[in-house]
Amino acid sequence: MEKLTPPVIEELELLVKLKEFDALNSNEKAFVLKHLTEVEYHTMRKFYATINTISLPKKHEILPDEELKLQLMQRFQSNKSTFKISSFLNAKIPLYQVAAAAILFFVLGFVFTPKSINQTSVHDTIQVVKYLVNPIDTSFKNALQSPKLATKNVIAKSQKQNKIKKTEHYYEVQPRNPIEEYHRQMAIMQVNRVKREKVGSSLANEPEISGMIVPSI
Amino acid sequence: MALFAIKYSAKSDEELMLLLCKKEQHAFEELYARYSKPMLNYFARLMNFDKEKSQDMLHDLFLKIIENPQNFDAKRKFSTWFYALASNMIKNEYKWLQIRQDFAEYELESGKPMFENNKDNIDQIEFLNCLNRELSKLDIELRTLFTLRFFEEKSIKEIAEIMNCPEGTIKSRIFYLVKNLSKQLQLFKPE
């Protein structure tokens, strides 16, 4: 069967609704008969005439339950209390805004790299500092502070074993490094200890020890 | 405060929906008053006049606008959107139930037609019973189309929006539907 186009359908429908078959003029009749039989035309016309006058019998019309409305109102009230959080969670965000935010975060990731943040890092390499345990027999060579180099050497001499026992500590000193100040304090403590143990003696004969007293930074 | 009271009955459906988005209870009540009965009967027609089922579906339909009123597209006409929502619910329901059988079963089990005759409109009732019988044999899409066009009296444009179809397709489907139904109903008996 030939498929009718919407304009043909519209025209056929209009004729069916408006005119009896016998009332069609020759052109209209030719047009109708091209697509429908006379019986089809009559049955369709009868259908439209009947369906337009018919209405559902009143007794078959259904009315909503009163209880239904009450249930819905209760639901409405309970939903109202959770409105803010649910509306927040259900909020629709346009796709372009999501894309813009993603691009912004991506760009900011490059601008604010960790390097760009002004921070100071201190690198210390510290070997175990072993302080002298035999103060009487100990002499110190080299001052703790050397103005230029960041390396300190303390040489301890054991009188008993008459051999050189070398304990060295090594560290890199960054400006304002607290390690330096700590070391100076420790050196002073060592000197004081030696002085205490050599009661009555002066440090005049101990130039190396007295040399350890360094000015504070 | 009556001076400042909102006259909800004067508001359009679309305005009421916007108020409903702001959780205005009276807006919901007004929409319910306007649409509960027509929508219930729309469900009933497509659910073979199953009252209980239709009431349930009406409940679910209004629940959708309570819970997600923001889903309404303010650019669309509310009634069209609402009918589309209802039509989708019916379509989903048909996926689970074999409703087409129910109508025939109703008549078989009860031994009586869906609409009972009375003296005044015997032809109409006869016609309605025959029509419903024929409609029950159809696909739900065609039943919805027929109901929207001839019972809900929606325009072709509205039906096209509700069913998400081009207008030309709707016109064509209605034409062939009427042609087939009128043939099945044997309304015209040549002398």
Side-chain angles (χ1 to χ4, degrees), chain A residues 45-57:
Chain A
R45 182 163 169 75
K46 179 84 176 165
F47 180 87
Y48 277 118
T50 314
I51 199 83
N52 287 338
T53 55
I54 215 157
S55 60
L56 200 66

Side-chain angles (χ1 to χ4, degrees), chain A residues 32-48:
Chain A
V32 167
L33 289 173
K34 202 175 160 188
H35 306 292
L36 296 171
T37 64
E38 190 182 336
V39 174
E40 280 175 338
Y41 187 90
H42 282 299
T43 50
M44 282 181 80
R45 182 163 169 75
K46 179 84 176 165
F47 180 87
Y48 277 118

Side-chain angles (χ1 to χ4, degrees), chain A residues 104-123:
Chain A
L104 186 68
F105 281 117
F106 186 72
V107 171
L108 287 177
F110 279 106
V111 174
F112 293 101
T113 53
K115 284 177 185 173
S116 72
I117 299 166
N118 189 14
Q119 62 178 11
T120 308
S121 59
V122 177
H123 300 278

Side-chain angles (χ1 to χ4, degrees), chain B residues 127-142:
Chain B
F127 174 80
L128 269 177
N129 280 324
C130 292
L131 179 64
N132 275 315
R133 200 173 297 117
E134 289 305 320
L135 284 174
S136 70
K137 294 174 189 167
L138 295 175
D139 182 63
I140 184 59
E141 291 269 349
L142 290 174

Side-chain angles (χ1 to χ4, degrees), chain B residues 73-86:
Chain B
D73 181 0
K75 291 172 198 160
R76 290 182 73 179
K77 195 178 166 190
F78 174 77
S79 66
T80 310
W81 176 77
F82 209 41
Y83 268 96
L85 211 60

Side-chain angles (χ1 to χ4, degrees), chain A residues 164-181:
Chain A
I164 293 171
K165 189 181 185 180
K166 188 179 177 185
T167 306
E168 67 176 22
H169 58 266
Y170 167 84
Y171 58 88
E172 290 173 1
V173 179
Q174 299 289 337
R176 306 173 76 85
N177 190 337
I179 296 293
E180 191 175 28
E181 176 61 16

Side-chain angles (χ1 to χ4, degrees), chain A residues 10 62 73 75 77 79, chain B residues 23 25 41 66-67 171:
Chain A
E10 263 177 63
I62 311 170
M73 293 313 297
R75 193 61 180 258
Q77 290 298 336
N79 204 47
Chain B
K23 296 287 155 181
Q25 186 175 326
N41 283 284
I66 288 176
E67 288 179 346
K171 278 179 195 170

